[in-house]
Amino acid sequence: MAYLGDTSQMLVDTTDVFTTHQKFATPDDVVKWAQDVGDANKVGIIITRSDKKNGIRGRNDKLILGCDKGGKYDCSESSTTSASKKCNCPFKIRAAPSTDGSGWKVQVIHGVHNHGLPDQYHGHPRKARLTADENKRVQDLTKRKVAPRHIVLDLKDQNPESVVDATLVYRKRHMMQIQERGSRTELQHLLQLLDDAKYVSWNRRKDDGSDVLSDIFWAHPDSIKLLNLFPIVLVMDCTYKTNKYRQPLLEIAGITSTNMTFAVGFAYMESEKTDNYHWALGKLKQLITKQDIFPRVILTDREFALMNAIKDIFPHTTNMLCTWHIIKNVNARCTVQIPKDMKQKVKNLWRDVVQSPDEVEYQQRLNAFQQACVNSSNFVEYVNNTWLAPHKEQFVEAWTNRVMHLGNTTTNRVESAHWRLKKMLEHSKGDLCKCLEGMNDNIRLEVDKIKKSFQKSFYYTEKTHSSPFFQYLRNFVSRAAMTLISDEMERIDIVGTNKNLCGCKLRSTSVYRYR
C-alpha cells in the first residue's frame, strides 16, 4: 500500500495488498477474503456487481468488488442538509472462475483510491458491527434492563479494541423487538404476552366501531391471590409519562399483613372520566372471589371522577383522602395568603386540625385555626369550602380513626409504586408491551420480597416478641402485627386503662393477621 505523489488529491495505491494468486472455491470465499484484507488495511469492500451464467450471450459468472466510497451521491432532490462518504472512488476488483476449473481467481482492475484511508476503525462499516458474541451479550444485557451506554462500556471491557457505539446497540434492540413481535400488531402482541404470563385482562374498544383500544385492565395471578388474602385497604392513583400514547395509568396497590405493598392491577384508560374509572373498578371487583369480601378503605386523592366511581362500585367502602396532599395544598395556599409572621403558626394549627383525635377536640382546634386566620377570610373560605365542609370525614382523624385503614392515611404507597415502575421503564416513549414488561418485572421482585417477609414471620423472632405473652401468636401472626401490640403494651405505662386517654385507635384502625 502506498501514498502517491504530491497532488491536489490524496491517492492511495492498494494494488499490492489485494493482489493474490490464491484460488477460491466460491464467490462467498472471494468476498470474505477481500473484506478481511480490506479490514486489515482500513478499506471498506462492497459488492458492486454480481453476474451468473444463465445462457444469455455475454452473461458469465463474475463478481465485481469496489470501495464503499465508490459511486457518486446525488443530492439534487434533497431539501435537507446531508452528507455522504461516496467520492467516486475508482478502486475495483474483478473475480471470475478460472478457465482450468481450479476455482475463482482475483484480478485487481484498479487498485488506487482517490481518498485517504482512516487511521482508526471508529465508524468503520464492518468493524463497527456487532460480532456473534457481542450480539448475544447485547441481548442478555437488554433483557436485564441495562442502559445502552452501559452495554457499550461492558463490550469495551470485554474487548478494548471494540468500536461499537450506542447507535448500534439501539439498532440491535429495535431488531430484537421486531423479531419477537413478528407479524403481530402491537395490540395482538400485548394480548399474547398477557395470555402467556397468565394475566387476567379485559379491554374495550372505542364506541365508533373501530379497532382502536379505549381502556385495558390487567392483573397478575399472584396479585389476585394477594388481593383476596388482604383486601382490607387499597390505594389507587393515576400517573402519566409511562407510554408514548400519553394515556393515564391507574395503578392499584394493596397492603399485606407484613406491612408490604403489592400491585393489585393496572388500567390504561382513554381519559380520567367517571365512565373510565367505573369500567376499571368494575373489573377490579371481579377479581375478588368472595361476594361478601370488599375493601374496607380505598385511599385516593381528591379526584372526583374516581371518587364517584368508588361510591357506585364499592358502596360499603370508605373512601379516604390523602392527608399528605391535603396538607401540602393548604400550606401552599397559606404561603400566598397568610402574612409572613403567621405562616408557620397557621401551618401547625392546620396540621393539628387534621390530626384531631375526636370531634370535640376537632371543634376546639378548628376554632383556634380560624381565630389565627381571622384577617384572611379568603384563605378560611378556601379551607372550609374545598376541604372541611365536603370532605372532613374522609381525612380528619376524628372520623378516619373509626375505620380500618391499617395506619394508612396517604397515597404514598402507590406514589412509590409509580416511581418504581418509571424507573424500570427507563423512559416514557415505550408502547404498552414495554409497560407490561416493566410491570411484570416489578411484580416478580415484590412478590419475592413479600414471600421473604412471610418466611421471616415464621422463622425469626424479634427481641420484643420473645416474652411468654406472645407464645401463642408467634408463627401465626405477622411480626408487624406483634410490633403494634408490643407498642401498645408500652403505652399502658403511660395511659393505663383509661379508655378516653387511650383512644383505642388501634382497635378500630388496624388489624394484621398472618395467613
Side-chain angles (χ1 to χ4, degrees):
M1 185 170 67
Y3 288 86
L4 304 178
D6 183 15
T7 63
S8 59
Q9 186 178 42
M10 179 176 287
L11 302 177
V12 182
D13 189 355
T14 57
T15 302
D16 293 342
V17 298
F18 285 98
T19 299
T20 181
H21 298 291
Q22 181 180 350
K23 299 292 179 66
F24 301 92
T26 65
D28 292 339
D29 293 336
V30 175
V31 174
K32 185 178 184 308
W33 170 83
Q35 289 181 337
D36 289 343
V37 173
D39 290 349
N41 294 275
K42 299 181 177 65
V43 176
I45 299 298
I46 61 173
I47 300 174
T48 61
R49 181 174 175 180
S50 177
D51 285 346
K52 288 187 176 181
K53 188 175 183 179
N54 57 6
I56 300 177
R57 184 178 179 182
R59 188 93 174 190
N60 297 312
D61 290 336
K62 68 178 179 180
L63 191 65
I64 305 297
L65 305 178
C67 175
D68 62 351
K69 288 179 173 287
K72 187 176 181 181
Y73 179 67
D74 183 11
C75 60
S76 58
E77 297 181 0
S78 176
S79 60
T80 60
T81 302
S82 58
S84 173
K85 64 182 178 182
K86 294 183 180 294
C87 61
N88 208 20
C89 178
F91 176 83
K92 184 183 295 185
I93 297 176
R94 183 180 186 275
S98 57
T99 56
D100 58 4
S102 59
W104 285 65
K105 62 181 180 178
V106 174
Q107 178 184 6
V108 179
I109 305 299
H110 198 292
V112 178
H113 300 265
N114 64 354
H115 55 85
L117 300 180
D119 58 355
Q120 56 184 356
Y121 281 120
H122 289 81
H124 192 277
R126 270 175 54 80
K127 284 293 184 181
R129 293 178 184 174
L130 295 169
T131 64
D133 290 339
E134 288 174 337
N135 266 304
K136 187 176 185 307
R137 185 65 175 167
V138 170
Q139 291 178 6
D140 292 341
L141 294 179
T142 297
K143 291 178 181 178
R144 288 162 177 77
K145 306 293 183 182
V146 180
R149 63 182 181 277
H150 297 309
I151 294 178
V152 172
L153 293 174
D154 179 82
L155 296 178
K156 290 184 181 296
D157 288 340
Q158 301 289 329
N159 176 20
E161 301 298 323
S162 174
V163 293
V164 173
D165 60 11
T167 301
L168 284 173
V169 176
Y170 277 111
R171 192 178 301 160
K172 175 61 181 176
R173 286 157 59 114
H174 179 64
M175 292 305 299
M176 288 172 56
Q177 181 178 334
I178 292 176
Q179 291 171 1
E180 180 185 8
R181 185 168 299 180
S183 60
R184 294 191 293 265
T185 64
E186 179 187 337
L187 180 56
Q188 290 172 338
H189 187 57
L190 174 64
L191 296 177
Q192 184 63 51
L193 292 176
L194 290 168
D195 186 60
D196 292 343
K198 295 181 170 50
Y199 274 76
V200 173
S201 66
W202 295 273
N203 66 83
R204 63 175 182 171
R205 314 299 171 90
K206 287 191 175 182
D207 295 334
D208 56 10
S210 66
D211 290 331
V212 178
L213 189 70
S214 170
D215 306 285
I216 184 167
F217 180 100
W218 62 67
H220 191 277
D222 288 336
S223 299
I224 298 173
K225 292 178 183 177
L226 289 170
L227 170 64
N228 283 279
L229 287 172
F230 310 108
I232 297 175
V233 176
L234 299 180
V235 189
M236 55 185 68
D237 182 47
C238 267
T239 186
Y240 295 87
K241 296 183 179 180
T242 63
N243 62 94
K244 64 182 180 181
Y245 306 109
R246 299 182 180 181
Q247 279 192 307
L249 168 65
L250 175 64
E251 189 166 3
I252 306 168
I255 299 98
T256 69
S257 61
T258 53
N259 202 28
M260 298 193 70
T261 306
F262 66 92
V264 174
F266 304 88
Y268 275 107
M269 305 182 299
E270 183 181 20
S271 61
E272 293 181 82
K273 296 181 179 179
T274 301
D275 175 65
N276 303 97
Y277 282 123
H278 203 283
W279 179 85
L281 294 183
K283 302 310 176 187
L284 169 65
K285 190 173 184 178
Q286 292 183 40
L287 298 178
I288 302 176
T289 55
K290 295 183 179 179
Q291 296 296 326
D292 58 337
I293 294 179
F294 58 89
R296 302 285 185 89
V297 171
I298 294 180
L299 264 162
T300 67
D301 289 330
R302 192 179 68 115
E303 174 62 45
F304 291 118
L306 177 56
M307 293 164 65
N308 291 335
I310 291 172
K311 190 181 299 183
D312 292 338
I313 303 299
F314 298 103
H316 304 294
T317 297
T318 300
N319 179 198
M320 286 175 53
L321 300 182
C322 175
T323 57
W324 188 87
H325 284 105
I326 293 173
I327 292 174
K328 179 184 176 183
N329 290 336
V330 172
N331 286 349
R333 186 65 68 96
C334 172
T335 301
V336 176
Q337 297 183 344
I338 299 297
K340 185 176 181 180
D341 58 334
M342 291 291 292
K343 286 180 182 178
Q344 192 56 50
K345 180 181 179 180
V346 170
K347 290 179 181 179
N348 293 337
L349 289 171
W350 171 245
R351 184 176 293 274
D352 290 341
V353 170
V354 175
Q355 296 175 348
S356 301
D358 54 56
E359 294 185 48
V360 175
E361 190 69 24
Y362 164 75
Q363 195 58 52
Q364 293 174 355
R365 295 182 182 186
L366 178 60
N367 291 337
F369 171 77
Q370 292 175 338
Q371 186 63 34
C373 305
V374 68
N375 295 324
S376 303
S377 58
N378 289 338
F379 176 69
V380 174
E381 183 179 352
Y382 159 76
V383 172
N384 286 332
N385 294 342
T386 305
W387 299 109
L388 294 179
H391 304 301
K392 66 177 181 291
E393 294 87 356
Q394 295 174 280
F395 70 92
V396 177
E397 289 188 11
W399 287 272
T400 59
N401 283 348
R402 300 172 184 174
V403 297
M404 196 173 293
H405 55 64
L406 306 182
N408 296 276
T409 58
T410 71
T411 56
N412 289 352
R413 288 182 183 270
V414 75
E415 297 283 353
S416 297
H418 293 337
W419 176 82
R420 289 193 296 271
L421 174 60
K422 291 177 181 179
K423 188 176 181 181
M424 188 68 77
L425 294 179
E426 299 177 358
H427 59 81
S428 61
K429 302 299 181 182
D431 57 22
L432 297 187
C433 298
K434 284 293 181 183
C435 296
L436 172 62
E437 184 179 334
M439 294 169 185
N440 195 57
D441 290 341
N442 266 341
I443 290 173
R444 289 168 57 195
L445 293 175
E446 71 183 17
V447 168
D448 285 344
K449 290 181 180 179
I450 290 171
K451 289 180 178 179
K452 184 177 180 180
S453 71
F454 289 165
Q455 292 303 312
K456 281 187 175 181
S457 288
F458 269 124
Y459 296 111
Y460 294 89
T461 301
E462 294 184 18
K463 186 176 180 180
T464 55
H465 306 158
S466 58
S467 69
F469 179 83
F470 293 101
Q471 62 179 329
Y472 296 111
L473 300 181
R474 288 192 293 268
N475 300 334
F476 295 97
V477 176
S478 70
R479 292 164 61 188
M482 288 192 289
T483 297
L484 288 175
I485 296 172
S486 177
D487 292 342
E488 286 297 299
M489 291 177 64
E490 292 180 3
R491 289 187 66 219
I492 293 177
D493 297 333
I494 302 173
V495 302
T497 59
N498 188 324
K499 180 178 179 181
N500 294 327
L501 188 59
C502 174
C504 299
K505 176 180 175 181
L506 183 65
R507 178 178 295 179
S508 59
T509 64
S510 301
V511 55
Y512 287 74
R513 170 129 185 212
Y514 183 80
R515 302 195 181 193

PDB file of all heavy atoms in Angstrom, residues 21 58 101 176 208 212 255 398 407 410 462:
ATOM      1  N   HIS A  21      -2.494 -14.815  -5.897  1.00  0.00           N
ATOM      2  CA  HIS A  21      -2.589 -15.928  -6.854  1.00  0.00           C
ATOM      3  C   HIS A  21      -3.430 -17.064  -6.275  1.00  0.00           C
ATOM      4  O   HIS A  21      -3.527 -18.131  -6.887  1.00  0.00           O
ATOM      5  CB  HIS A  21      -1.175 -16.427  -7.199  1.00  0.00           C
ATOM      6  CG  HIS A  21      -0.324 -15.391  -7.860  1.00  0.00           C
ATOM      7  ND1 HIS A  21      -0.562 -14.918  -9.138  1.00  0.00           N
ATOM      8  CD2 HIS A  21       0.767 -14.712  -7.398  1.00  0.00           C
ATOM      9  CE1 HIS A  21       0.336 -14.008  -9.455  1.00  0.00           C
ATOM     10  NE2 HIS A  21       1.161 -13.856  -8.410  1.00  0.00           N
ATOM     11  N   GLY A  58     -23.002 -13.357 -23.504  1.00  0.00           N
ATOM     12  CA  GLY A  58     -22.244 -12.339 -22.797  1.00  0.00           C
ATOM     13  C   GLY A  58     -22.466 -12.347 -21.291  1.00  0.00           C
ATOM     14  O   GLY A  58     -21.842 -11.565 -20.578  1.00  0.00           O
ATOM     15  N   GLY A 101     -10.812 -24.492 -14.348  1.00  0.00           N
ATOM     16  CA  GLY A 101     -11.766 -25.029 -13.382  1.00  0.00           C
ATOM     17  C   GLY A 101     -11.212 -25.224 -11.992  1.00  0.00           C
ATOM     18  O   GLY A 101     -11.818 -25.927 -11.172  1.00  0.00           O
ATOM     19  N   MET A 176     -34.429  -6.766  17.832  1.00  0.00           N
ATOM     20  CA  MET A 176     -34.924  -7.797  18.764  1.00  0.00           C
ATOM     21  C   MET A 176     -36.424  -7.656  18.959  1.00  0.00           C
ATOM     22  O   MET A 176     -37.162  -8.653  18.992  1.00  0.00           O
ATOM     23  CB  MET A 176     -34.205  -7.658  20.107  1.00  0.00           C
ATOM     24  CG  MET A 176     -32.753  -8.082  20.103  1.00  0.00           C
ATOM     25  SD  MET A 176     -31.921  -7.657  21.657  1.00  0.00           S
ATOM     26  CE  MET A 176     -32.965  -8.479  22.866  1.00  0.00           C
ATOM     27  N   ASP A 208     -66.961   4.064  18.376  1.00  0.00           N
ATOM     28  CA  ASP A 208     -67.198   4.354  16.962  1.00  0.00           C
ATOM     29  C   ASP A 208     -67.075   3.118  16.074  1.00  0.00           C
ATOM     30  O   ASP A 208     -67.118   3.218  14.847  1.00  0.00           O
ATOM     31  CB  ASP A 208     -66.230   5.438  16.466  1.00  0.00           C
ATOM     32  CG  ASP A 208     -64.766   5.052  16.711  1.00  0.00           C
ATOM     33  OD1 ASP A 208     -64.516   3.895  17.084  1.00  0.00           O
ATOM     34  OD2 ASP A 208     -63.893   5.919  16.510  1.00  0.00           O
ATOM     35  N   VAL A 212     -59.680   0.678  17.621  1.00  0.00           N
ATOM     36  CA  VAL A 212     -58.825   1.476  18.495  1.00  0.00           C
ATOM     37  C   VAL A 212     -59.147   1.160  19.950  1.00  0.00           C
ATOM     38  O   VAL A 212     -60.304   1.190  20.366  1.00  0.00           O
ATOM     39  CB  VAL A 212     -59.007   2.985  18.222  1.00  0.00           C
ATOM     40  CG1 VAL A 212     -58.135   3.818  19.168  1.00  0.00           C
ATOM     41  CG2 VAL A 212     -58.654   3.301  16.777  1.00  0.00           C
ATOM     42  N   ILE A 255     -52.001  -3.795  50.665  1.00  0.00           N
ATOM     43  CA  ILE A 255     -51.064  -3.908  51.792  1.00  0.00           C
ATOM     44  C   ILE A 255     -51.192  -5.299  52.396  1.00  0.00           C
ATOM     45  O   ILE A 255     -52.302  -5.757  52.706  1.00  0.00           O
ATOM     46  CB  ILE A 255     -51.329  -2.834  52.868  1.00  0.00           C
ATOM     47  CG1 ILE A 255     -51.169  -1.429  52.296  1.00  0.00           C
ATOM     48  CG2 ILE A 255     -50.391  -3.004  54.042  1.00  0.00           C
ATOM     49  CD1 ILE A 255     -52.442  -0.756  51.895  1.00  0.00           C
ATOM     50  N   ALA A 398     -60.455  12.384  63.534  1.00  0.00           N
ATOM     51  CA  ALA A 398     -61.634  12.172  64.382  1.00  0.00           C
ATOM     52  C   ALA A 398     -62.621  11.231  63.711  1.00  0.00           C
ATOM     53  O   ALA A 398     -63.369  10.503  64.401  1.00  0.00           O
ATOM     54  CB  ALA A 398     -62.301  13.518  64.692  1.00  0.00           C
ATOM     55  N   GLY A 407     -53.441   2.017  59.461  1.00  0.00           N
ATOM     56  CA  GLY A 407     -52.394   3.022  59.619  1.00  0.00           C
ATOM     57  C   GLY A 407     -52.050   3.769  58.357  1.00  0.00           C
ATOM     58  O   GLY A 407     -51.100   4.555  58.330  1.00  0.00           O
ATOM     59  N   THR A 410     -52.257   8.130  53.669  1.00  0.00           N
ATOM     60  CA  THR A 410     -51.749   8.848  52.488  1.00  0.00           C
ATOM     61  C   THR A 410     -51.679   7.887  51.305  1.00  0.00           C
ATOM     62  O   THR A 410     -51.801   6.661  51.469  1.00  0.00           O
ATOM     63  CB  THR A 410     -50.335   9.421  52.735  1.00  0.00           C
ATOM     64  OG1 THR A 410     -49.387   8.340  52.786  1.00  0.00           O
ATOM     65  CG2 THR A 410     -50.282  10.224  54.032  1.00  0.00           C
ATOM     66  N   GLU A 462     -38.396 -11.446  66.910  1.00  0.00           N
ATOM     67  CA  GLU A 462     -37.774 -10.212  67.369  1.00  0.00           C
ATOM     68  C   GLU A 462     -37.642 -10.246  68.891  1.00  0.00           C
ATOM     69  O   GLU A 462     -38.403 -10.927  69.591  1.00  0.00           O
ATOM     70  CB  GLU A 462     -38.604  -9.004  66.934  1.00  0.00           C
ATOM     71  CG  GLU A 462     -38.637  -8.788  65.438  1.00  0.00           C
ATOM     72  CD  GLU A 462     -39.376  -7.522  65.046  1.00  0.00           C
ATOM     73  OE1 GLU A 462     -39.564  -6.653  65.929  1.00  0.00           O
ATOM     74  OE2 GLU A 462     -39.759  -7.403  63.874  1.00  0.00           O
TER      75      GLU A 462
END
